[in-house]
Amino acid sequence: MIVKHFIIAVIATIVSSQAQVHDKSWRTIINNKDSAWFATQEAKAIAENVLLYQRNIGGWPKNIQMQKPLSKEEKLQLESQKSSTDEVTTDNGATTQEMLFLSKMYRATANETYKMAFLSGLDYILEAQYDSGGWPQFYPLKKGYYTHITFNDDSMVNILNLLKNLKENTGKYAIKPSEETLKKINVAFNKGIDCILKTQYKQNGILTAWCAQHDEITLQPTKARAYELPSLSGSESANIVLLLMDLENPTEAIKTAINSAVAWFEKVKIMGIKQVWEYDEQTKKRDKKIVNDANASPLWARFMALEDNRPFFCDRDGIVKYALSDIGYERRNGYGWYTDRASEVLKKYPEWKAKYDNGIKEKKAIKDDFNMIVAKDGSGDFYTIQEAIYAAKAFPYQRVIIHVKNGVYNEKVQVFSWNTQVSLIGESKENTIISFDDYFGKIDLGRNSTFHTATVLIEGNDFVAKNLSIRNTSGPVGQAIALSVIANRCYFENCAFLGNQDTVYTAGEGFKQYFKNCYIEGTVDFIFGEATVLFENCEISSKSSGYVTAASTPKEQEFGYVFKGCKLTAPENVNDVFLGRPWRTYAKTVFINCNLGKHIKPEGWHNWSNKEAEKLAFYAEYQGTGEGYKPEARVVWSHQLKASEAKKYTLETILKSTSAWYQNL
């Protein structure tokens, strides 16, 4: 028998993908075609096939070469199968890859049919999720191992990456779901991550990795096909960890999961061997072999024993073997038994560790303690805003200016009470974005959970922000703060604050804050708190029916909220918006020379079922304009100021303090 080595050193992941993915050509079309191609007739013809294969439930069957032309008879057959739910799955990339294709089609053509099919697929995925946060391999459920929570072939990771891109609006997908669907996406994603944390296997009390499938009830590792026994996976576990490492501002539980998995990957990596194909001249077949090679890159076994991490192999009889050569030709060559995917985890880990578990991503010598640069591309002093704040001097004698370059900074930012005189200066309001998605139910710390949800929390006095956006992306899920200001003499200029309920919290009895030329959006009570705040030339946009303000002004405080020269706007379909309601009985809110859209209710103000507030709160307007300014229809307990009364609402009077701090910004 003459044996020749055939393409020595085959990379393990390539071997695995060849064995596992039966739709390689279709996947290549989706991922490798130029964006302009998706507007061509060729692409549209394939898109028609994709639409035909989609079932009414929203998902697709797997292993279909969607690009292959269909005969008239085949098309009729697919039409007749539309209502069938058989074999609809997320296995082998099914459904998630078709959704990506449709998104690219929609971006290129703006055809609403593609958008609706994409959203139908999204509904399918959301519906298929277990209460535990996992997903089965097939939905509706198919008897057998298919009901297990399926990490196999990255099924669940593919889903979570899809949801992550949608909820973070990264731009990967051209289709933006509704606010209500985004709310569901956020909940589903968080449940999915929680499921990952709960299924990480403990070996003798130590967290390790994951099995390719876990029991949907007990969450324990379980078997699938005869040769897929309960085990620790060197393949699926790698992509789970890469997903976790991609989460901004990870919780301590996520950090522990990553650190534990990386320690396990280091422990179980296999050195000194590599996979090769050998070609047999007589049988005209190639055969996978394991050979010794001291210079080979590390490999990880697809299956490792739950008790001691020992790599094992199985034929279709389910009998454990400890050498690849001990199983039959068909399974030996038709399955990915080794992988190098964990190399990517180990490559990225030091950077992740430095960023999230070591204070800063990369230690650099700061050229100027009072002028620092934050840039996601590494061109600045820091990669994240919080890193720069950690490095800022406490109670400095001069202002600390942190320049933030364009980018989406997915992090919670806190400017501590000792970080006084800090300025965050963005490169542009549109493209310098601080974003996070905490909300009341997610924080779940009791009745005051709202105050822990802020994307940006300011506690240091004399803070300044310019030319940036701060958003809470949790969606319409209840209380979810974008900006929380619990500091005195704070100034915001040309900034955007984006959220839903409770977007901006302005706190501090006697504290003064100033918003100029800013955009603030929300739904209910989206500007609330007890500080004295001047909003000048700002756009205040209501996304739904609700209340613009919920002041809680202290009794002895002369001013609460003052809006001067502001414009109150809303989408065409939004009506029934109140200017404010009293969070506390002595609330004070005044609108001067503001343009009020038609969405503002004629009565203007609401008492929040507090009759006492009608006597003690102070709600007033002066010389408004717009369809929503109807002084004659306002509630009788509100006020229309006289010119003599309006004179006191000057910048100097409202923001008075021991020094004219607002003049030096």
Side-chain angles (χ1 to χ4, degrees), residues 441-455:
K442 177 182 175 183
I443 294 295
D444 195 24
L445 292 174
R447 66 189 302 166
N448 295 313
S449 295
T450 299
F451 305 104
H452 297 277
T453 64
T455 298

Side-chain angles (χ1 to χ4, degrees), residues 61 73 106 202 237 281 439 514 583:
E73 292 73 18
Y106 181 73
K202 277 190 176 181
S237 295
E281 293 281 7
Y439 59 95
Y514 184 13
W583 184 20

Side-chain angles (χ1 to χ4, degrees), residues 63-80:
N63 302 334
I64 307 295
Q65 294 281 356
M66 298 285 176
Q67 76 279 11
K68 289 188 175 180
L70 295 170
S71 67
K72 183 178 180 180
E73 292 73 18
E74 288 171 325
K75 291 180 179 180
L76 289 172
Q77 184 179 4
L78 287 173
E79 287 284 2
S80 70

Side-chain angles (χ1 to χ4, degrees), residues 426-474:
E427 189 173 351
S428 69
K429 180 178 70 174
E430 294 75 20
N431 297 308
T432 305
I433 301 168
I434 310 172
S435 179
F436 210 73
D437 61 359
D438 274 349
Y439 59 95
F440 188 101
K442 177 182 175 183
I443 294 295
D444 195 24
L445 292 174
R447 66 189 302 166
N448 295 313
S449 295
T450 299
F451 305 104
H452 297 277
T453 64
T455 298
V456 174
L457 170 59
I458 309 301
E459 296 174 318
N461 291 340
D462 300 294
F463 174 83
V464 172
K466 296 181 180 180
N467 311 326
L468 52 80
S469 294
I470 298 171
R471 66 188 188 187
N472 187 308
T473 60
S474 59

Side-chain angles (χ1 to χ4, degrees), residues 270-274 291-298:
I270 304 168
M271 304 298 295
I273 66 169
K274 66 181 178 183
V291 299
N292 294 325
D293 185 341
N295 298 316
S297 299

Side-chain angles (χ1 to χ4, degrees), residues 546-566:
Y547 308 85
V548 174
T549 66
S552 55
T553 318
K555 181 179 179 180
E556 303 303 326
Q557 193 167 292
E558 184 177 5
F559 299 101
Y561 289 153
V562 180
F563 295 82
K564 295 191 70 175
C566 294

Side-chain angles (χ1 to χ4, degrees), residues 226-341:
Y227 51 89
E228 295 173 328
L229 301 179
S231 59
L232 295 174
S233 167
S235 181
E236 281 79 10
S237 295
N239 286 325
I240 291 171
V241 177
L242 288 171
L243 168 65
L244 294 179
M245 288 171 65
D246 198 37
L247 301 179
E248 297 285 349
N249 199 38
T251 63
E252 289 303 315
I254 292 172
K255 292 179 187 178
T256 298
I258 294 169
N259 287 326
S260 300
V262 168
W264 180 81
F265 280 127
E266 288 282 12
K267 180 180 178 179
V268 303
K269 68 183 178 183
I270 304 168
M271 304 298 295
I273 66 169
K274 66 181 178 183
Q275 295 186 112
V276 298
W277 290 103
E278 290 184 346
Y279 184 73
D280 189 317
E281 293 281 7
Q282 292 183 354
T283 63
K284 304 300 183 183
K285 291 181 180 180
R286 59 179 190 166
D287 193 10
K288 190 188 301 180
K289 302 287 185 180
I290 302 299
V291 299
N292 294 325
D293 185 341
N295 298 316
S297 299
L299 292 176
W300 287 263
R302 180 69 175 265
F303 300 131
M304 285 170 267
L306 295 172
E307 301 79 16
D308 58 8
N309 305 311
R310 185 178 181 182
F312 68 84
F313 312 87
C314 271
D315 224 322
R316 292 188 183 273
D317 56 10
I319 298 174
V320 172
K321 303 291 178 61
Y322 295 106
L324 183 60
S325 58
D326 288 341
I327 64 173
Y329 178 89
E330 184 267 336
R331 279 297 80 196
R332 183 167 67 248
N333 294 286
Y335 201 72
W337 295 103
Y338 288 96
T339 179
D340 68 352
R341 185 62 172 153

